Structure formats: structure tokens, C-alpha cells
Amino acid sequence: MQRTLVLCKPDAIHRRLVGAIVQRLENKGLRLVAAKLLHANRALAERHYAVHRGKPFYESLLNFITSGPTLAMVWEGREAVQVVRALLGPTDGVKAPPGTIRGDFSLSVQNNLVHASDSPETAEQEIALWFAPEELVAWEPCDERWTGATAG
Ligand code: IDP
Ligand code: MG
């Protein structure tokens, strides 16, 4: 079972889209194992987006992500990293196809509502950055034998 970090960025909170976003992850069969609302400071934002340091959009991105509340979550499920990335769609809301979260709710490159880890290795690092180990809740959904089955 794989885990991935998902952030509802400040635009998602301001636009009251948290429910719609969480609904899609739940509908897919993923399970929520951690969640907290916080206002990210510059240090956290710099560490989270370290890979983008030096890019033209870096400062604007940090200003955006530190501009308001973020809902940080960890979701778990079979191949959760690639499953959540697919549910989000491509970075640019204009290019994201209808049916994806970004495709349905965003027209922006920067303000694209949600972050999700892009590999299992990144997921591990990002989860450790946003959560303490004791904040993760291990549990098994009552319908796991239906939603989590790998056979067939
Ligand atoms: P991702 O969120 O789809 O993984 P990344 O390329 O990792 O996309 O970029 C991180 C975030 O930086 C994006 O989600 C978006 O908010 C912002 N971003 C990426 N590229 C641009 C750009 O060209 N202009 C403005 N913001 C950008
Ligand atoms: Mg990325």
C-alpha cells in the first residue's frame, strides 16, 4: 500500500473547493491517513519547493503557497502516487483535461489548487516534511476487500 502527500493550496481553500477535491479522492477508493490545516511559512515552502529554486516562477510560487491556509493530507491506496497525479491532471489548468481536478476547476498554471507527490521517493520525503510520524493514522476501511482487491 502506497502513501502520497496531497495539499489543497490556498486557492482551493479560498474557493471552497476542499469538499469537491476530497470527494474525488474518496470516490476513487483512497483512504485518508492524515490531515491538518496550516498556514505554511517561508521556510516550509522553500523546503517543499526546493526543486524549483532558481526558476522564473519560484518567488511567485512561494508567495502564493504562503499567502493563506493550506490543507495538508496524506492519502493511501494501491499505487496512490500515480493515481492521485492522474486525478489532478497536468500542471496547467488550461491543458488539464475535463474530468481531472485541475481540468474541471483551474484556468491557471500557478493557481492549480492541489499539490501531489510525483514519485514514491518524493512522497516519503514530503510526508516527513509536513507531518510527524505520530500524525499518521493507520486504519483499514470496512470495504477494503472490495476497493483494494488486486486480483481479477
Ligand atoms: P506539479 O504541481 O504539477 O507537480 P511542478 O512543475 O512541480 O508542477 O510545479 C510546482 C508548482 O509550481 C505548480 O503546481 C504550480 O503551482 C507552479 N508552477 C509550475 N510551473 C509554473 C509556471 O510556469 N508558471 C507559474 N507557476 C508554475
Ligand atoms: Mg511537482
Side-chain angles (χ1 to χ4, degrees):
M1 211 53 85
Q2 203 171 69
R3 288 176 171 176
T4 189
L5 180 84
V6 178
L7 304 176
C8 287
K9 301 182 190 182
D11 55 338
I13 312 291
H14 276 278
R15 294 177 56 197
R16 305 175 188 85
L17 288 170
V18 166
I21 292 162
V22 167
Q23 182 76 79
R24 287 171 181 228
L25 302 176
E26 285 191 327
N27 283 353
K28 184 67 178 170
L30 297 161
R31 77 183 74 159
L32 181 63
V33 297
K36 66 181 168 192
L37 188 72
L38 74 166
H39 192 136
N41 61 24
R42 170 104 191 177
L44 176 59
E46 281 183 359
R47 290 183 68 189
H48 179 73
Y49 281 128
V51 69
H52 297 300
R53 189 189 303 268
K55 293 185 184 168
F57 59 84
Y58 179 67
E59 279 304 321
S60 173
L61 176 59
L62 290 200
N63 287 337
F64 163 54
I65 204 74
T66 59
S67 69
T70 288
L71 179 66
M73 298 175 283
V74 178
W75 288 83
E76 183 178 277
R78 187 170 159 249
E79 303 292 342
V81 169
Q82 72 174 67
V83 165
V84 175
R85 291 287 295 190
L87 289 173
L88 259 56
T91 308
D92 184 348
V94 165
K95 296 181 182 138
T100 63
I101 293 169
R102 288 164 170 173
D104 286 350
F105 297 115
S106 171
L107 267 176
S108 170
V109 184
Q110 177 183 272
N111 303 346
N112 55 9
L113 301 164
V114 192
H115 166 88
S117 309
D118 62 8
S119 74
E121 296 72 34
T122 315
E124 210 168 299
Q125 294 162 12
E126 291 181 346
I127 290 167
L129 177 61
W130 288 81
F131 288 95
E134 63 270 20
E135 291 178 306
L136 306 182
V137 181
W139 62 286
E140 180 153 312
C142 62
D143 60 357
E144 178 64 15
R145 60 186 280 254
W146 302 109
T147 57
T150 54

